[in-house]
């Protein structure tokens, strides 16, 4: 049973979202919720006082508002787009996106949340900017295997997860597996192990996930492609199967499909049908080279919340 504090917080969020985001009038909110107009007004004031809703006055032209609205209209997602100059390099873009995502995450995590975390450069940027925020009953869950090889550093994934655990004062549940098995048969055998079944059951409890998309192109391939786990044969196979990216080590095509991609039979990632069952799916994406892969996961209904930079947002929306 949810705590009184949690119930009150949800009510404040619901009323604030209806009024300021949904543009509902107080009378309509009162009618929908069965509360009086005076109660709604009091809750709106309380939401402001407690920081549930914040206001920022921009003295310059709003250049990200239209992008956010377009993303919502086309894909039904909530988004944050920090203002980043076009000439800012990718590392600083990740820092800006990580900062916005870390703040948003603090508002999204509720008591009892199982928070799924992937690993990669942009998720790492989020982990480095998390502030201490104790929330009762939170646990951090690793959702796909690790790549503990020299190319990306020993225990890289666990360090990212540990930062989330430290921030929320939460235990970390690791998935003690490689990112990719050598064969599909090996994965099937491991899936039958009792300890792995228990770890996968915890993964299925995830209610909020922080993740990104990986790509092999551009001057800086994503962590998975730097890890040395993919052989030259694997890379050629992905190209032949028209793969444009991966989501937590599950590979997908431009249309978001994953079927018939042989490497997925060896992957420890979450199948997309299972992924869609996670209620809140926060994606952090930095760089124009990620636009095609991000567009694919958006169109496939895999994203509920998105933090990206303006240039990437423009590229995502440009389907010409």
């Amino acid at each position: 049973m949810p705590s009184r504090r949690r119930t009150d917080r949800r009510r404040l969020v619901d009323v604030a979202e209806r009024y300021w985001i949904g543009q509902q009038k107080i009378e309509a909110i009162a009618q929908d919720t069965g509360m009086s107009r005076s109660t709604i007004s009091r809750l709106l004031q309380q939401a402001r006082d407690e920081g549930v809703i914040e206001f920022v006055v921009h003295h310059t032209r709003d250049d990200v508002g239209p992008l956010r609205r377009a993303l919502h209209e086309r894909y039904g997602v909530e988004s944050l787009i920090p203002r980043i100059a076009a000439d800012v390099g990718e590392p600083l873009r990740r820092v800006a996106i990580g900062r916005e995502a870390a703040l948003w995450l603090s508002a999204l995590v509720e008591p009892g949340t199982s928070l799924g975390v992937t690993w990669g450069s942009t998720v790492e940027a989020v982990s480095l900017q998390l502030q201490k925020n104790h929330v009762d009953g939170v646990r951090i869950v690793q959702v796909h295997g690790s790549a503990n090889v020299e190319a990306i550093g020993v225990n890289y994934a666990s360090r990212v997860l540990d930062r989330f655990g430290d921030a929320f004062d939460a235990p970390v549940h690791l998935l003690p597996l490689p990112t990719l098995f050598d064969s599909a048969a090996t994965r099937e055998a491991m899936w039958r192990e009792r300890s792995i079944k228990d770890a996968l059951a915890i993964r299925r409890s995830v209610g909020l996930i922080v993740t990104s998309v990986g790509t092999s192109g551009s001057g800086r391939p994503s962590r998975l492609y730097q890890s040395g786990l993919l052989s030259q044969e694997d890379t050629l196979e992905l190209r032949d199967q028209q793969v444009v990216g991966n989501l937590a080590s599950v590979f997908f095509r431009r249309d978001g499909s994953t079927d018939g991609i042989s490497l997925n039979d060896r992957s420890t990632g979450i199948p997309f049908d299972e992924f869609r069952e996670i209620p809140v799916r926060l994606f952090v994406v930095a760089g124009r080279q990620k636009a095609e892969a991000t567009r694919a996961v958006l169109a496939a209904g895999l994203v509920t919340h998105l933090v990206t930079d303006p240039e990437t947002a423009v590229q995502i929306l440009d389907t010409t």
Side-chain angles (χ1 to χ4, degrees), residues 155-195:
N155 296 326
Y156 168 78
S158 62
R159 286 200 300 271
V160 172
L161 289 153
D162 285 343
R163 293 190 193 106
F164 281 87
D166 290 342
F168 292 101
D169 195 20
V172 176
H173 296 265
L174 298 176
L175 185 63
L177 296 170
T179 305
L180 298 169
F181 288 108
D182 289 336
S183 70
T186 303
R187 188 186 74 169
E188 291 307 308
M190 288 299 296
W191 262 209
R192 292 192 292 270
E193 290 291 321
R194 185 169 57 186
S195 62

Side-chain angles (χ1 to χ4, degrees), residues 4-141:
R4 172 73 178 274
R5 181 179 176 184
R6 183 179 180 185
T7 301
D8 289 346
R9 177 78 177 186
R10 282 181 170 174
R11 186 165 63 167
L12 290 176
V13 170
D14 178 54
V15 170
E17 286 184 338
R18 286 172 182 267
Y19 185 76
W20 279 293
I21 298 176
Q23 299 292 297
Q24 282 188 264
K25 295 183 181 299
I26 289 178
E27 294 85 350
I29 300 172
Q31 184 175 1
D32 287 349
T33 61
M35 292 184 279
S36 68
R37 291 178 57 189
S38 61
T39 298
I40 298 300
S41 296
R42 178 179 58 79
L43 291 174
L44 290 172
Q45 181 61 51
Q46 186 179 348
R48 290 195 294 269
D49 293 343
E50 296 186 10
V52 172
I53 188 78
E54 295 180 349
F55 301 98
V56 179
V57 177
H58 295 287
H59 293 276
T60 57
R61 181 175 62 88
D62 178 12
D63 51 353
V64 300
L67 292 174
R68 293 180 62 200
R69 288 192 290 273
L71 286 167
H72 186 270
E73 289 170 4
R74 185 173 300 179
Y75 299 110
V77 297
E78 301 299 329
S79 62
L80 286 178
I81 305 174
R83 288 170 174 79
I84 305 172
D87 59 351
V88 170
E90 189 173 321
L92 288 179
R93 286 176 185 272
R94 286 199 299 271
V95 170
I97 288 165
R99 180 173 58 247
E100 293 288 339
L103 290 170
W104 204 3
L105 186 62
S106 293
L108 291 171
V109 171
E110 297 182 341
T113 296
S114 289
L115 172 59
V117 178
T118 66
W119 48 265
S121 297
T122 316
V123 174
E124 181 182 19
V126 178
S127 75
L128 289 167
Q129 299 188 75
L130 290 167
Q131 301 297 314
K132 287 284 187 181
N133 180 28
H134 174 81
V135 183
D136 291 338
V138 171
R139 60 181 177 180
I140 309 302
V141 181

Side-chain angles (χ1 to χ4, degrees), residues 223-241:
R223 289 282 187 178
L224 177 58
Y225 299 94
Q226 297 178 48
S227 67
L229 287 170
L230 299 176
S231 67
Q232 184 176 8
E233 182 181 351
D234 292 334
T235 302
L236 291 173
E237 196 169 284
L238 292 174
R239 187 180 305 163
D240 290 344
Q241 294 170 339

Side-chain angles (χ1 to χ4, degrees), residues 233-288:
E233 182 181 351
D234 292 334
T235 302
L236 291 173
E237 196 169 284
L238 292 174
R239 187 180 305 163
D240 290 344
Q241 294 170 339
Q242 299 181 318
V243 166
V244 298
N246 77 90
L247 166 54
S249 71
V250 173
F251 299 91
F252 57 87
R253 303 182 185 87
R254 184 175 286 106
D255 61 0
S257 64
T258 62
D259 56 295
I261 299 174
S262 54
L263 259 68
N264 288 338
D265 295 332
R266 297 161 41 195
S267 171
T268 55
I270 303 178
F272 281 7
D273 287 345
E274 183 180 330
F275 191 94
R276 289 187 186 93
E277 295 176 3
I278 300 171
V280 181
R281 306 181 294 274
L282 173 61
F283 278 66
V284 288
V285 180
R288 299 175 55 172

